Amino acid sequence: MLALENITMRFGGVTALHAMSLHVAEGETLGLVGPNGAGKTTLFNVISGVFPPTEGTLTFNGGPLGKAPIWKRARQGIGRTFQIPQPMHELTVRQNLQVAQRFGTGRSDPARLDEILDLLGLAHKQHEDAASALALTEQKALEVGKALAVEPRLLMLDEVLGGLEMATKRAFSKTLQEVRERYNLTMIVIEHDIETIKALCPRVVVLNFGQLIADGTPEAVFNDPEVVRSYTGEAAA
């Protein structure tokens, strides 16, 4: 479904991604991990069209993405969340989803929004102000909801579980699994919590200093000595 070939991203003299190649199959749930500053969010920004790569090519559903802007990539089926929830101020929860849906699909589908609100546990707050009336967990759910409103085939989750307590993470992880199954999604998940990644992702890739250093099952990756040194700072057991 998604193919990255020799992707390099430079910001002035800083190379945030270096000659990265990565393939994600349709229906796959891929975990993306690494220490802070490894290039994970930069990779999401390149895929979603926030900025084009300095070098390399991206292919989605068999066609090149080229320099397509964010809205075109959304309409091709790429949806994403952001690390810090970004509700649209002075709009209700439902209106946030309506704007996202219009942006990503060019049309209105109230039934789809009803389904998303129910699935994410936000129906009871759909008419409340999104910027002031939501707890952190609900803000995270709204981020997922806005991404789902664009009707993605590829859903990219950028630390959507960050800052949540473990019990809440477990419950939210189950919701994400339901979301994936309901909409038959391919997913890429950035997450620092190893147990969450193990529960969600059969395959994990690890970035460090903008380079892909490991790719495999969670068990293999998290016992790789290079990953242990770069990601946890400890020696493998």
Side-chain angles (χ1 to χ4, degrees), residues 1 19 24 27 51 57-58 61 63 67 82 85 224-225 228-229 233:
M1 168 176 275
V24 182
F51 38 66
T57 60
L58 292 90
N61 282 335
K67 295 184 178 180
F82 292 85
D224 184 311
V228 173
R229 284 192 300 270

Side-chain angles (χ1 to χ4, degrees), residues 32-45 159 190 192 207:
L32 182 60
V33 303
N36 289 331
K40 304 182 297 295
T41 296
T42 298
L43 182 60
F44 269 23
N45 286 339
E159 295 191 39
I190 295 177
H192 282 289
L207 303 186

Side-chain angles (χ1 to χ4, degrees), residues 174-191:
K174 290 182 180 179
T175 298
L176 293 177
Q177 290 172 328
E178 292 174 9
V179 163
R180 181 185 62 78
E181 293 170 4
R182 174 76 62 88
Y183 297 113
N184 194 28
L185 296 171
T186 302
M187 291 172 53
I188 306 177
V189 182
I190 295 177
E191 174 58 45

Side-chain angles (χ1 to χ4, degrees), residues 84-97 122 125-136 138-140 142-143 146:
I84 300 174
Q86 300 181 15
M88 288 170 254
H89 290 263
E90 300 183 2
L91 295 181
T92 66
V93 169
R94 187 180 187 89
Q95 287 169 338
N96 269 256
L97 297 187
L122 293 173
K125 287 194 173 181
Q126 64 179 299
H127 300 302
E128 298 191 37
D129 183 76
S132 63
L134 302 183
L136 178 60
E138 293 167 332
Q139 293 176 25
K140 300 278 190 174
L142 179 58
E143 274 294 296
K146 289 190 296 181

